[in-house]
Amino acid sequence: MSTQSIDQRKGRDEANPFVKWLRNNRRVLTSAGFLAAMLIVFIFANPNVFTQFRTYRSVMIILPISIFMVVPLVFITTAGEIDLAFPAIIGLASYSFALIVDSGGNAFLGLIAALVTGALFGFLNGALVVNLGLSALVSTLGMNFLLRGLINILAQGYSRPVSEIRGTVLQQILTGNHIFGIPNQMFWALLFAVFGMFLYNYHKFGVHTHCIGDHPGSSKEMGINVNRTRIMLFVFSGIGAAIAGIFSVMINFVWYPTTGDAMLLPVLAGIFVGGTPTWGGIGTVIGGVFGVSIVSFIETGVIAAGLTGFYTQFVYGIIIISSLIGHRLNGDRIR
Amino acid sequence: MSENIIELKNVVKSFGNVNAVDGISMTIKRGEVVGLIGDNGAGKSTLIKVLSGVHKPDGGEIYLRGQRVNNWNSARSRLSGIETVYQDRALAVQQSITRNIFMGREIVNRFGFVDTSKQYQEANRLMREIGFTSKVFDPDSPVATLSGGERQGVAIARALYFDADLIILDEPTTALSLTETNKVFSFIENVKARGRSILFIGHNIYHVYDIAERFIVLDRGRVILTLDKKDTPSAEYLIETMHDIARSGHTTSEVKA
Ligand SMILES: Nc1ncnc2c1ncn2[C@@H]1O[C@H](COP(=O)(O)OP(=O)(O)OP(=O)(O)O)[C@@H](O)[C@H]1O
Ligand SMILES: [Mg+2]
């Protein structure tokens, strides 16, 4: 980068704090803009459907599950790692929840059991990657097969209805009432995202996550406990998966052996569409929320626009690629 | 004044079959400026990385202020008052200047949340103090937008901020202009005046001669010469002595002029 362009950059900073704010937040703003643009296209394509609140509410019923998952995955991606085991951990953690509730156990106990399961297998992922030095991409992919296989062996293909949870205090709080027509789980998910955003930008854990993804060697030299932070990131991902799994069961009132399976690609896409790049060191939690929202609206939008379901994947592809182009055009990669 | 800040005894560090540090003993006293010299690959950076806790030694002992230390690591060494400016600068270039200055030692409250406005102010003050450029710094700018000299300034500002007892500088003047080099030197004079110790690594023996009070020469992982400034009339003498040893093939650590 030439000296001149640096000077221009500095000059801009001084001139206008608003421009500086825009520049510092350009990734999240790009993904917000993308979501808005996409919804506008849908509104024009089918005003009937996309001016009705019902449409948005139906998306907001299940969108929270993806939000719980995408937040820790943005952390993991920022650290330069990847976790492909989350779908199976969602399945396994919610299985322990469903087992306890279905056998007459306390729902809070089930919740704890699910969280412990998620944290434990997250830790296992972290230990494999950090202590044994396995590639995160391959070992978590292997873990995803392994744990889904374990679920299949344990459940023998049977679903678990957990209708006894309906109407309990826990269920009422988490996925019960609608406030202004917005399902409760949406508020919990947004609360989680805001918590994640503060953790990511202002907590030591989040700051270290950035530094590690940016340059693990420098981070180590400056005294950051790189290995411990990396393991904690996988534990965080496991906990996110557990919460996603609990909500999934609380929303559907049934646990399937496939719970979580279909989330792999949409949630991964949401990370990158939301503005967190693959190379590590930077990213945005709120962008990730926009990212999974974009992905969630695609299917509804495609059908509502009068296209058949055959178009869904095609449109997915267009949106993922064009959003990446959008992020790239909107800022240089500086590493 | 003769208190040992740090002492190494027979420290060994190998990478595969490369004995980068091959049984080195040395001490750095309070208020002392030591110059570490040696060819490329002599083991200087490896040695200081053992000192600063980045590398775990394969053998030998480390004493901090007379106390044997175990499980030495970067975090411990920093908390014990040792700051290091690494040869590679140890920066995370996509992060802001502020974040780099406080990397690994953030100002946090008891819940671990970073006091970003305090850090911003401190970084701002520090960058102005260092004055590595005439332009006004924005501590929020990513380090990737800085020049080599400015990046070096960030690394030095970081070492300066924590008011360490021992500051290790691994080739701090490489890639710097003459004025910037002079700034580094006046920074070292400042640190010296405050009674702090410095371990200075440099390729330019004239620089090292000007700065240090004691010289340690490494060759292939071993100390081949230690000299006090009072026994060294000139930089030329230092260079000459190094050449003599290289020719005669001495490898003892106790060659004295
Ligand atoms: N992380 C590492 N892995 C493997 N070998 C290494 C590593 N670090 C250093 N070495 C080797 O150890 C030896 C000493 O390297 P070191 O960086 O300490 O030298 P130096 O004296 O600092 O040289 P320079 O003046 O070029 O900086 C070299 O042969 C180098 O290749
Ligand atoms: Mg070196």
Side-chain angles (χ1 to χ4, degrees):
Chain A
M1 184 172 288
S2 74
T3 330
Q4 201 196 352
S5 74
I6 299 165
D7 293 347
Q8 284 167 351
R9 200 177 278 253
K10 277 178 193 156
R12 263 208 323 250
D13 283 338
E14 283 173 83
N16 195 337
F18 178 66
V19 173
K20 179 175 157 184
W21 179 83
L22 282 183
R23 190 162 55 76
N24 286 344
N25 292 286
R26 61 164 188 262
R27 289 188 164 269
V28 62
L29 293 172
T30 306
S31 51
F34 220 87
L35 177 60
M38 193 184 78
L39 291 177
I40 288 169
V41 170
F42 286 158
I43 288 170
F44 276 104
N46 191 335
N48 273 340
V49 171
F50 272 92
T51 51
Q52 285 191 23
F53 184 68
R54 199 159 15 98
T55 309
Y56 298 90
R57 188 169 65 199
S58 73
V59 170
M60 282 191 286
I61 288 172
I62 51 161
L63 174 61
I65 304 172
S66 299
I67 293 177
F68 285 118
M69 202 56 250
V70 81
V71 169
L73 288 177
V74 165
F75 278 71
I76 292 239
T77 310
T78 304
E81 303 286 351
I82 189 85
D83 179 4
L84 301 181
F86 72 86
I89 297 184
I90 292 176
L92 202 60
S94 55
Y95 187 43
S96 50
F97 177 78
L99 278 182
I100 288 176
V101 172
D102 196 29
S103 59
N106 184 303
F108 284 99
L109 188 71
L111 194 131
I112 303 287
L115 290 175
V116 170
T117 307
L120 211 67
F121 285 99
F123 179 81
L124 185 62
N125 274 329
L128 288 176
V129 171
V130 172
N131 297 336
L132 293 186
L134 302 187
S135 133
L137 182 78
V138 184
S139 75
T140 59
L141 182 65
M143 263 320 236
N144 194 43
F145 280 110
L146 188 88
L147 297 182
R148 185 63 65 186
L150 185 66
I151 293 171
N152 289 336
I153 295 166
L154 292 174
Q156 293 288 313
Y158 290 108
S159 303
R160 287 250 167 192
V162 278
S163 38
E164 48 275 69
I165 196 81
R166 196 191 286 269
T168 61
V169 179
L170 189 70
Q171 188 269 325
Q172 283 302 310
I173 293 173
L174 295 184
T175 61
N177 296 313
H178 293 206
I179 303 170
F180 306 124
I182 297 172
N184 275 7
Q185 57 263 36
M186 194 64 201
F187 293 101
W188 290 113
L190 292 181
L191 199 68
F192 186 75
V194 169
F195 160 78
M197 188 267 282
F198 276 102
L199 197 68
Y200 186 78
N201 290 314
Y202 303 110
H203 194 273
K204 220 165 94 170
F205 178 62
V207 170
H208 289 180
T209 299
H210 283 86
C211 294
I212 289 170
D214 200 316
H215 201 302
S218 297
S219 303
K220 185 173 179 246
E221 286 175 345
M222 285 301 115
I224 294 174
N225 194 331
V226 175
N227 287 352
R228 194 185 62 196
T229 308
R230 277 195 176 132
I231 291 182
M232 274 161 62
L233 285 164
F234 282 99
V235 172
F236 184 33
S237 179
I239 290 172
I243 299 174
I246 294 164
F247 272 87
S248 164
V249 171
M250 293 258 210
I251 290 163
N252 298 312
F253 301 112
V254 54
W255 173 86
Y256 303 100
T258 54
T259 295
D261 217 14
M263 289 176 67
L264 181 63
L265 294 177
V267 175
L268 278 182
I271 303 169
F272 306 117
V273 169
T276 300
T278 46
W279 62 79
I282 53 173
T284 154
V285 169
I286 302 301
V289 174
F290 288 129
V292 289
S293 305
I294 289 168
V295 174
S296 297
F297 271 105
I298 292 174
E299 193 157 335
T300 319
V302 166
I303 307 292
L307 301 169
T308 65
F310 295 123
Y311 282 85
T312 313
Q313 295 210 357
F314 185 73
V315 176
Y316 265 138
I318 288 183
I319 291 193
I320 290 171
I321 291 170
S322 50
S323 69
L324 283 191
I325 294 171
H327 287 300
R328 171 50 56 93
L329 292 180
N330 211 10
D332 290 336
R333 176 173 176 171
I334 57 177
R335 201 187 80 170
Chain B
M1 280 302 271
S2 66
E3 184 203 348
N4 285 345
I5 298 275
I6 198 147
E7 177 171 13
L8 301 184
K9 277 189 188 164
N10 211 20
V11 164
V12 177
K13 177 71 195 175
S14 314
F15 300 104
N17 52 13
V18 178
N19 301 327
V21 171
D22 196 8
I24 288 183
S25 302
M26 64 181 276
T27 53
I28 298 171
K29 293 184 172 35
R30 182 172 291 280
E32 190 180 36
V33 180
V34 178
L36 192 59
I37 322 169
D39 254 345
N40 291 113
K44 305 181 296 295
S45 297
T46 307
L47 177 66
I48 64 108
K49 283 183 179 175
V50 171
L51 255 176
S52 68
V54 173
H55 289 322
K56 222 177 161 47
D58 301 320
E61 294 151 24
I62 301 173
Y63 294 82
L64 177 77
R65 298 186 184 89
Q67 299 288 314
R68 171 101 191 251
V69 290
N70 293 305
N71 300 320
W72 193 234
N73 63 34
S74 317
R76 289 230 169 102
S77 88
R78 295 192 76 190
L79 288 174
S80 320
I82 299 174
E83 287 293 334
T84 309
V85 177
Y86 292 95
Q87 192 168 7
D88 66 4
R89 311 296 167 244
L91 297 169
V93 299
Q94 296 175 99
Q95 314 304 315
S96 67
I97 292 173
T98 307
R99 205 173 253 183
N100 271 280
I101 287 177
F102 291 95
M103 195 195 324
R105 286 189 82 172
E106 295 79 9
I107 302 176
V108 291
N109 68 14
R110 80 188 118 120
F111 304 109
F113 281 95
V114 177
D115 187 342
T116 45
S117 65
K118 176 93 188 293
Q119 286 195 167
Y120 182 93
Q121 285 161 16
E122 293 290 297
N124 205 17
R125 179 180 63 76
L126 221 65
M127 294 314 293
R128 282 169 200 282
E129 254 175 49
I130 290 272
F132 256 78
T133 172
S134 55
K135 295 184 195 65
V136 184
F137 265 98
D138 180 1
D140 276 342
S141 309
V143 165
T145 61
L146 303 181
S147 74
E150 291 167 335
R151 291 183 195 200
Q152 177 69 309
V154 173
I156 290 179
R158 178 163 63 190
L160 191 66
Y161 179 76
F162 294 100
D163 200 26
D165 283 343
L166 168 63
I167 296 183
I168 301 171
L169 298 152
D170 194 349
E171 312 214 5
T173 53
T174 315
L176 293 192
S177 71
L178 211 61
T179 30
E180 285 170 335
T181 302
N182 285 334
K183 274 177 188 152
V184 174
F185 289 165
S186 67
F187 154 71
I188 291 173
E189 288 304 325
N190 259 324
V191 176
K192 216 157 103 177
R194 282 190 294 162
R196 307 288 193 244
S197 316
I198 291 174
L199 179 60
F200 180 93
I201 300 177
H203 263 127
N204 187 327
I205 294 177
Y206 294 93
H207 283 174
V208 180
Y209 182 79
D210 285 343
I211 289 163
E213 298 155 2
R214 194 152 61 85
F215 314 103
I216 299 177
V217 184
L218 295 193
D219 184 37
R220 277 161 288 175
R222 290 173 170 274
V223 175
I224 55 161
L225 175 67
T226 61
L227 267 180
D228 280 341
K229 183 113 166 216
K230 61 175 160 46
D231 304 321
T232 318
S234 66
E236 285 78 10
Y237 177 85
L238 183 59
I239 295 169
E240 198 55 42
T241 315
M242 284 166 65
H243 283 168
D244 284 349
I245 292 169
R247 270 195 297 272
S248 66
H250 278 290
T251 50
T252 66
S253 56
E254 285 308 315
V255 181
K256 274 269 178 183

